[in-house]
Amino acid sequence: MATNYPTTVRIDEYTKTVLDSAAKYTNQTRSAFMVSVARERAEAILKERRVTMREIAPMILSPRDSKIFIEALESDSEPSDALLALKKNYDALNIIDET
């Protein structure tokens, strides 16, 4: 089941016009277009980071430790109870991450 997380983005008139035009040409709403483009760019950044880490890790770590590190980065794992509790406390504090 998909969950919606509302986000507000303020844009200038030119950016709105450009986004609306691009969304129209791809048969999407402005919001759908912005999400698809943001996701695409975020995935590209993550892929680039993985490639960079694959190049850097062997320079810093032993071959064995490098392999363990890369496998840990690429593994899909469920968050621990401690991490979930930390997130719950973080969300309750209404902290805004501006990084």
Side-chain angles (χ1 to χ4, degrees), residues 22 26 28 31-50:
T26 58
Q28 298 179 77
S31 293
F33 177 78
M34 290 171 61
V35 168
S36 68
V37 171
R39 183 179 30 238
E40 182 179 302
R41 180 68 178 126
E43 288 171 349
I45 289 169
L46 294 174
K47 181 179 179 182
E48 181 180 304
R49 179 164 170 78
R50 278 194 301 271

mmCIF file of all heavy atoms in Angstrom, residues 22 26 28 31-50:
data_model
loop_
_atom_site.group_PDB
_atom_site.id
_atom_site.type_symbol
_atom_site.label_atom_id
_atom_site.label_comp_id
_atom_site.label_asym_id
_atom_site.label_seq_id
_atom_site.Cartn_x
_atom_site.Cartn_y
_atom_site.Cartn_z
ATOM 1 N N ALA A 22 6.857 20.653 -19.221
ATOM 2 C CA ALA A 22 7.475 19.324 -19.265
ATOM 3 C C ALA A 22 6.489 18.259 -18.797
ATOM 4 O O ALA A 22 6.405 17.172 -19.380
ATOM 5 C CB ALA A 22 8.738 19.304 -18.413
ATOM 6 N N THR A 26 4.844 14.952 -20.954
ATOM 7 C CA THR A 26 4.995 13.574 -20.480
ATOM 8 C C THR A 26 3.698 13.023 -19.907
ATOM 9 O O THR A 26 3.694 11.979 -19.258
ATOM 10 C CB THR A 26 6.117 13.486 -19.414
ATOM 11 O OG1 THR A 26 5.807 14.357 -18.324
ATOM 12 C CG2 THR A 26 7.468 13.850 -20.002
ATOM 13 N N GLN A 28 1.799 13.979 -17.417
ATOM 14 C CA GLN A 28 1.799 13.874 -15.962
ATOM 15 C C GLN A 28 1.326 15.190 -15.357
ATOM 16 O O GLN A 28 1.370 16.230 -16.007
ATOM 17 C CB GLN A 28 3.216 13.596 -15.437
ATOM 18 C CG GLN A 28 3.827 12.292 -15.910
ATOM 19 C CD GLN A 28 5.223 12.130 -15.352
ATOM 20 O OE1 GLN A 28 5.379 11.794 -14.187
ATOM 21 N NE2 GLN A 28 6.225 12.380 -16.169
ATOM 22 N N SER A 31 2.971 17.714 -10.034
ATOM 23 C CA SER A 31 3.474 16.982 -8.864
ATOM 24 C C SER A 31 4.079 15.640 -9.264
ATOM 25 O O SER A 31 5.166 15.278 -8.809
ATOM 26 C CB SER A 31 2.359 16.753 -7.848
ATOM 27 O OG SER A 31 1.952 17.976 -7.289
ATOM 28 N N ALA A 32 3.371 14.891 -10.105
ATOM 29 C CA ALA A 32 3.883 13.590 -10.544
ATOM 30 C C ALA A 32 5.197 13.752 -11.296
ATOM 31 O O ALA A 32 6.138 12.971 -11.108
ATOM 32 C CB ALA A 32 2.854 12.878 -11.412
ATOM 33 N N PHE A 33 5.271 14.773 -12.136
ATOM 34 C CA PHE A 33 6.503 15.024 -12.887
ATOM 35 C C PHE A 33 7.649 15.354 -11.945
ATOM 36 O O PHE A 33 8.750 14.809 -12.062
ATOM 37 C CB PHE A 33 6.294 16.163 -13.892
ATOM 38 C CG PHE A 33 7.533 16.510 -14.650
ATOM 39 C CD1 PHE A 33 7.962 15.727 -15.703
ATOM 40 C CD2 PHE A 33 8.286 17.619 -14.304
ATOM 41 C CE1 PHE A 33 9.120 16.039 -16.399
ATOM 42 C CE2 PHE A 33 9.438 17.942 -14.980
ATOM 43 C CZ PHE A 33 9.858 17.152 -16.041
ATOM 44 N N MET A 34 7.396 16.245 -10.980
ATOM 45 C CA MET A 34 8.445 16.637 -10.042
ATOM 46 C C MET A 34 8.937 15.437 -9.232
ATOM 47 O O MET A 34 10.143 15.272 -9.024
ATOM 48 C CB MET A 34 7.939 17.750 -9.119
ATOM 49 C CG MET A 34 7.748 19.076 -9.834
ATOM 50 S SD MET A 34 6.918 20.339 -8.841
ATOM 51 C CE MET A 34 8.048 20.535 -7.488
ATOM 52 N N VAL A 35 8.014 14.598 -8.797
ATOM 53 C CA VAL A 35 8.406 13.423 -8.028
ATOM 54 C C VAL A 35 9.216 12.467 -8.888
ATOM 55 O O VAL A 35 10.259 11.963 -8.463
ATOM 56 C CB VAL A 35 7.167 12.714 -7.424
ATOM 57 C CG1 VAL A 35 7.529 11.343 -6.874
ATOM 58 C CG2 VAL A 35 6.538 13.582 -6.350
ATOM 59 N N SER A 36 8.786 12.235 -10.123
ATOM 60 C CA SER A 36 9.502 11.286 -10.984
ATOM 61 C C SER A 36 10.907 11.783 -11.302
ATOM 62 O O SER A 36 11.865 11.011 -11.282
ATOM 63 C CB SER A 36 8.718 11.000 -12.265
ATOM 64 O OG SER A 36 8.674 12.138 -13.102
ATOM 65 N N VAL A 37 11.042 13.078 -11.566
ATOM 66 C CA VAL A 37 12.355 13.644 -11.876
ATOM 67 C C VAL A 37 13.240 13.656 -10.632
ATOM 68 O O VAL A 37 14.426 13.318 -10.698
ATOM 69 C CB VAL A 37 12.214 15.060 -12.479
ATOM 70 C CG1 VAL A 37 13.558 15.740 -12.602
ATOM 71 C CG2 VAL A 37 11.532 14.978 -13.836
ATOM 72 N N ALA A 38 12.670 14.008 -9.490
ATOM 73 C CA ALA A 38 13.449 14.015 -8.248
ATOM 74 C C ALA A 38 13.916 12.608 -7.899
ATOM 75 O O ALA A 38 15.072 12.407 -7.507
ATOM 76 C CB ALA A 38 12.614 14.604 -7.113
ATOM 77 N N ARG A 39 13.032 11.626 -8.047
ATOM 78 C CA ARG A 39 13.406 10.240 -7.765
ATOM 79 C C ARG A 39 14.499 9.772 -8.716
ATOM 80 O O ARG A 39 15.481 9.142 -8.307
ATOM 81 C CB ARG A 39 12.184 9.324 -7.854
ATOM 82 C CG ARG A 39 12.512 7.876 -7.507
ATOM 83 C CD ARG A 39 11.308 6.935 -7.557
ATOM 84 N NE ARG A 39 10.306 7.335 -8.509
ATOM 85 C CZ ARG A 39 9.029 7.593 -8.210
ATOM 86 N NH1 ARG A 39 8.597 7.483 -6.985
ATOM 87 N NH2 ARG A 39 8.178 7.956 -9.140
ATOM 88 N N GLU A 40 14.344 10.096 -9.994
ATOM 89 C CA GLU A 40 15.344 9.707 -10.993
ATOM 90 C C GLU A 40 16.717 10.293 -10.644
ATOM 91 O O GLU A 40 17.730 9.603 -10.687
ATOM 92 C CB GLU A 40 14.892 10.191 -12.377
ATOM 93 C CG GLU A 40 15.804 9.813 -13.507
ATOM 94 C CD GLU A 40 15.258 10.324 -14.835
ATOM 95 O OE1 GLU A 40 14.124 9.957 -15.188
ATOM 96 O OE2 GLU A 40 15.974 11.082 -15.503
ATOM 97 N N ARG A 41 16.732 11.567 -10.282
ATOM 98 C CA ARG A 41 18.004 12.227 -9.931
ATOM 99 C C ARG A 41 18.584 11.661 -8.643
ATOM 100 O O ARG A 41 19.786 11.437 -8.542
ATOM 101 C CB ARG A 41 17.783 13.738 -9.805
ATOM 102 C CG ARG A 41 19.012 14.495 -9.451
ATOM 103 C CD ARG A 41 20.037 14.469 -10.589
ATOM 104 N NE ARG A 41 21.176 15.259 -10.185
ATOM 105 C CZ ARG A 41 22.428 14.826 -10.188
ATOM 106 N NH1 ARG A 41 22.711 13.621 -10.640
ATOM 107 N NH2 ARG A 41 23.403 15.598 -9.777
ATOM 108 N N ALA A 42 17.722 11.403 -7.662
ATOM 109 C CA ALA A 42 18.191 10.829 -6.394
ATOM 110 C C ALA A 42 18.794 9.447 -6.617
ATOM 111 O O ALA A 42 19.848 9.120 -6.064
ATOM 112 C CB ALA A 42 17.039 10.758 -5.400
ATOM 113 N N GLU A 43 18.149 8.638 -7.457
ATOM 114 C CA GLU A 43 18.678 7.307 -7.755
ATOM 115 C C GLU A 43 20.021 7.412 -8.470
ATOM 116 O O GLU A 43 20.934 6.618 -8.203
ATOM 117 C CB GLU A 43 17.675 6.509 -8.582
ATOM 118 C CG GLU A 43 16.462 6.077 -7.776
ATOM 119 C CD GLU A 43 15.355 5.480 -8.611
ATOM 120 O OE1 GLU A 43 15.400 5.571 -9.868
ATOM 121 O OE2 GLU A 43 14.401 4.917 -8.020
ATOM 122 N N ALA A 44 20.166 8.384 -9.363
ATOM 123 C CA ALA A 44 21.435 8.581 -10.066
ATOM 124 C C ALA A 44 22.545 8.967 -9.087
ATOM 125 O O ALA A 44 23.680 8.481 -9.188
ATOM 126 C CB ALA A 44 21.284 9.651 -11.150
ATOM 127 N N ILE A 45 22.213 9.827 -8.124
ATOM 128 C CA ILE A 45 23.198 10.232 -7.125
ATOM 129 C C ILE A 45 23.614 9.034 -6.280
ATOM 130 O O ILE A 45 24.807 8.834 -6.013
ATOM 131 C CB ILE A 45 22.641 11.372 -6.242
ATOM 132 C CG1 ILE A 45 22.558 12.657 -7.066
ATOM 133 C CG2 ILE A 45 23.490 11.568 -4.989
ATOM 134 C CD1 ILE A 45 21.781 13.777 -6.398
ATOM 135 N N LEU A 46 22.646 8.225 -5.869
ATOM 136 C CA LEU A 46 22.968 7.047 -5.068
ATOM 137 C C LEU A 46 23.817 6.061 -5.856
ATOM 138 O O LEU A 46 24.764 5.479 -5.319
ATOM 139 C CB LEU A 46 21.686 6.376 -4.570
ATOM 140 C CG LEU A 46 20.862 7.212 -3.584
ATOM 141 C CD1 LEU A 46 19.555 6.510 -3.266
ATOM 142 C CD2 LEU A 46 21.654 7.504 -2.326
ATOM 143 N N LYS A 47 23.491 5.872 -7.135
ATOM 144 C CA LYS A 47 24.286 4.981 -7.981
ATOM 145 C C LYS A 47 25.711 5.506 -8.115
ATOM 146 O O LYS A 47 26.678 4.749 -8.003
ATOM 147 C CB LYS A 47 23.636 4.852 -9.360
ATOM 148 C CG LYS A 47 24.382 3.925 -10.285
ATOM 149 C CD LYS A 47 23.688 3.806 -11.629
ATOM 150 C CE LYS A 47 24.472 2.897 -12.553
ATOM 151 N NZ LYS A 47 23.854 2.806 -13.878
ATOM 152 N N GLU A 48 25.842 6.816 -8.329
ATOM 153 C CA GLU A 48 27.157 7.438 -8.444
ATOM 154 C C GLU A 48 27.956 7.250 -7.157
ATOM 155 O O GLU A 48 29.142 6.962 -7.175
ATOM 156 C CB GLU A 48 26.990 8.921 -8.753
ATOM 157 C CG GLU A 48 28.284 9.683 -8.913
ATOM 158 C CD GLU A 48 28.010 11.147 -9.204
ATOM 159 O OE1 GLU A 48 27.294 11.442 -10.182
ATOM 160 O OE2 GLU A 48 28.510 11.998 -8.446
ATOM 161 N N ARG A 49 27.282 7.394 -6.035
ATOM 162 C CA ARG A 49 27.957 7.213 -4.740
ATOM 163 C C ARG A 49 28.432 5.776 -4.574
ATOM 164 O O ARG A 49 29.530 5.540 -4.082
ATOM 165 C CB ARG A 49 27.030 7.600 -3.601
ATOM 166 C CG ARG A 49 27.661 7.407 -2.241
ATOM 167 C CD ARG A 49 26.901 8.146 -1.169
ATOM 168 N NE ARG A 49 27.334 7.804 0.147
ATOM 169 C CZ ARG A 49 28.434 8.255 0.738
ATOM 170 N NH1 ARG A 49 29.220 9.073 0.084
ATOM 171 N NH2 ARG A 49 28.756 7.890 1.952
ATOM 172 N N ARG A 50 27.603 4.807 -4.979
ATOM 173 C CA ARG A 50 28.021 3.397 -4.892
ATOM 174 C C ARG A 50 29.262 3.156 -5.732
ATOM 175 O O ARG A 50 30.196 2.484 -5.300
ATOM 176 C CB ARG A 50 26.887 2.474 -5.333
ATOM 177 C CG ARG A 50 25.859 2.199 -4.263
ATOM 178 C CD ARG A 50 24.957 1.031 -4.620
ATOM 179 N NE ARG A 50 24.225 1.221 -5.857
ATOM 180 C CZ ARG A 50 23.036 1.804 -5.962
ATOM 181 N NH1 ARG A 50 22.445 2.278 -4.890
ATOM 182 N NH2 ARG A 50 22.446 1.930 -7.118
#
